[in-house]
Amino acid sequence: MQMVREGSSPGGSRPVSVLAWAVPAAVTAVAGVIAAVTVPSQASTPVAWVGVIATVAVALVTAELARRAKVIAGLRQRDREYRTAMSRQESETIRLAKDLLPEMVNRLSRGEFPEDVFNAMGERLAKHAKEAELTPEFHGAHQAVLRSVMEAVVAEEDLRDAAQRAFVNIARRVQAIVHQQAQELREMEDRHGHVPEVFGDLLQLDHGTALIGRLADSIAVLGGARPGRQWSRAVPLYSVLRGAMSRILDYQRVELHSVSEVAVVGPAVEPLIHALAELLDNATRYSPPQTRVHLTAVEVQSGIAVEIEDGGVSMSEEARKRAERMLEQAQKGIDVNDLGETPRLGLAVVGRLAQVYNFQVSLRTSAYGGVRAVLIVPQDLITTAPATGRAHGIGASSGPLTARTERPAGIS
């Protein structure tokens, strides 16, 4: 019966159905005729009727069985088609979730134009849908998912940008106040520098102002802006290191050792001061108050290596990896919402500055038992030309020479 091809006759598959019940009925009829002929004449009529009835019954049963078999075959075919369609839809949904959506989010996070990203993802989605023979309704649902995710990511990015702009604006206001206060302190130092007691008090105020300025700069950096002050001339590395020392609370605990006779180009002076100040602040904050923090700077093949070693408790391997992950995360871009209620800005700021100015930062165990932070300044930010800039004594670089001799160590 399966050898009869569908469509080979006007009835399509009907010849198969006809044979399915005609052959058993014919066999039953032949058997009835043979039985009617072979029995005695007085029994031939009843036997013939029985044969007719049996033939009709067999034909009806066989026809019903054939019909049901056809229905079952159709249901099985539809089930196979349904399973195939479901498998294709599942594959496309997995592709959407694992490939298209993450790629779209990454491209949007990198700042690409939303409609361009959506159109590119939509074309790929349409191509996959055509290859998988998906229904227009299913393809439309996937397009709607893409659109919804795009709008959600764009809204989140807009909210983040607004928050960062607000942070930067606040930081800029604080920086303006700090700059004005530093200017007034310099004028006071010029007027009262001949009185050592007054001059010392002014230096303390100057130092506190520098700390506030560093915090405002940290907020600006985390908001995606540059540090507040800009330097037009190259500054000797020694002066840069002294400037970093002047921006921490426990500057008197820092011992400055050998320093290479090079200078830092103007645009990199303030970022380097700020990054080193954050590392020095960590070193003094997380080590015993009676210990010293050692600061050195030596030339290496890739540039200048600035080393900061403290005598605190050595970091465990887990803590070191966690700190380096924070640095790496900051280099990729940190969300201010991820800082938490009691943020530790130091490493986040260092990581952000390292990303922008190509500093290399690593944390290792110190020879003094604590932590050794190494910051590599690349060669393109270093110059051997004569440098006339000065970064140490920030906010108190003026005043009579006799007064300057009274500066606390680490600020002068």
Side-chain angles (χ1 to χ4, degrees):
M1 290 186 291
Q2 298 298 327
M3 295 178 64
V4 180
R5 293 174 55 190
E6 184 176 350
S8 61
S9 65
S13 61
R14 266 179 276 178
V16 177
S17 300
V18 171
L19 288 176
W21 62 266
V23 171
V27 172
T28 303
V30 170
V33 171
I34 294 173
V37 172
T38 56
V39 298
S41 56
Q42 63 273 17
S44 60
T45 298
V47 170
W49 278 107
V50 171
V52 170
I53 295 172
T55 300
V56 172
V58 170
L60 293 174
V61 171
T62 306
E64 179 62 19
L65 291 175
R67 186 189 68 80
R68 294 188 178 186
K70 182 180 179 181
V71 171
I72 292 173
L75 292 175
R76 287 177 176 172
Q77 178 63 25
R78 286 196 293 273
D79 181 67
R80 285 193 294 271
E81 294 174 354
Y82 175 77
R83 289 178 181 273
T84 301
M86 289 295 294
S87 177
R88 291 172 179 170
Q89 291 178 0
E90 181 180 3
S91 299
E92 286 306 303
T93 302
I94 293 174
R95 189 200 307 273
L96 175 69
K98 289 188 175 181
D99 298 335
L100 297 185
L101 290 180
E103 181 180 349
M104 183 175 71
V105 172
N106 289 335
R107 292 178 62 176
L108 290 172
S109 300
R110 292 196 299 266
E112 296 188 35
F113 191 65
E115 286 300 328
D116 292 342
V117 176
F118 177 76
N119 291 335
M121 296 295 103
E123 290 176 1
R124 290 174 54 183
L125 192 63
K127 180 182 177 181
H128 295 157
K130 184 177 180 181
E131 293 174 353
E133 300 179 354
L134 300 180
T135 63
E137 294 79 10
F138 194 82
H139 173 59
H142 276 187
Q143 289 275 16
V145 171
L146 273 180
R147 172 68 68 176
S148 298
V149 172
M150 183 198 72
E151 292 175 351
V153 173
V154 170
E156 179 68 22
E157 289 296 324
D158 290 343
L159 182 62
R160 179 182 303 175
D161 291 342
Q164 289 185 338
R165 286 194 298 271
F167 267 69
V168 172
N169 289 335
I170 294 172
R172 291 295 184 237
R173 293 179 184 179
V174 176
Q175 287 171 333
I177 296 172
V178 169
H179 178 74
Q180 179 63 33
Q181 185 170 344
Q183 181 66 30
E184 294 175 357
L185 284 171
R186 282 195 293 270
E187 294 173 358
M188 293 180 187
E189 290 166 7
D190 289 337
R191 291 196 303 269
H192 306 290
H194 61 283
V195 183
E197 294 79 6
V198 175
F199 189 70
D201 292 340
L202 291 176
L203 287 181
Q204 290 298 114
L205 292 175
D206 182 16
H207 184 66
T209 301
L211 298 180
I212 298 173
R214 192 186 102 212
L215 179 59
D217 284 347
S218 295
I219 297 173
V221 168
L222 291 177
R226 57 175 173 76
R229 186 168 182 176
Q230 296 297 300
W231 301 80
S232 59
R233 296 177 297 177
V235 176
L237 180 60
Y238 172 83
S239 184
V240 170
L241 299 182
R242 299 292 282 186
M245 292 167 57
S246 71
R247 298 194 190 181
I248 68 170
L249 186 62
D250 291 332
Y251 60 88
Q252 293 177 327
R253 291 175 50 200
V254 180
E255 289 187 359
L256 180 57
H257 300 281
S258 60
V259 177
S260 299
E261 295 293 332
V262 296
V264 180
V265 298
V269 170
E270 187 65 20
L272 182 57
I273 289 176
H274 196 92
L276 292 176
E278 295 293 347
L279 293 175
L280 286 170
D281 183 69
N282 277 351
T284 56
R285 187 184 300 272
Y286 299 106
S287 61
Q290 71 276 9
T291 61
R292 309 294 289 179
V293 173
H294 302 273
L295 176 61
T296 60
V298 296
E299 293 189 49
V300 294
Q301 184 175 2
S302 56
I304 297 295
V306 182
E307 299 183 357
I308 299 171
E309 293 187 278
D310 64 65
V313 179
S314 179
M315 298 177 69
S316 65
E317 186 66 16
E318 180 182 357
R320 185 185 65 81
K321 290 182 178 179
R322 185 167 59 250
E324 291 188 341
R325 279 197 302 269
M326 184 180 298
L327 288 170
E328 293 176 1
Q329 181 184 1
Q331 292 177 21
K332 296 177 182 177
I334 190 168
D335 187 351
V336 294
N337 295 323
D338 297 333
L339 295 176
E341 295 182 0
T342 55
R344 293 176 59 179
L345 305 181
L347 291 180
V349 172
V350 172
R352 193 64 175 264
L353 292 172
Q355 186 269 333
V356 176
Y357 296 93
N358 200 28
F359 301 147
Q360 298 180 33
V361 184
S362 61
L363 302 174
R364 296 292 183 268
T365 301
S366 167
Y368 299 94
V371 177
R372 180 167 68 102
V374 180
L375 187 150
I376 304 294
V377 185
Q379 288 283 3
D380 58 342
L381 301 182
I382 301 298
T383 180
T384 56
T388 58
R390 181 182 180 185
H392 64 287
I394 296 175
S397 58
S398 60
L401 179 61
T402 56
R404 290 181 200 169
T405 60
E406 299 297 327
R407 293 175 184 269
I411 291 184
S412 58

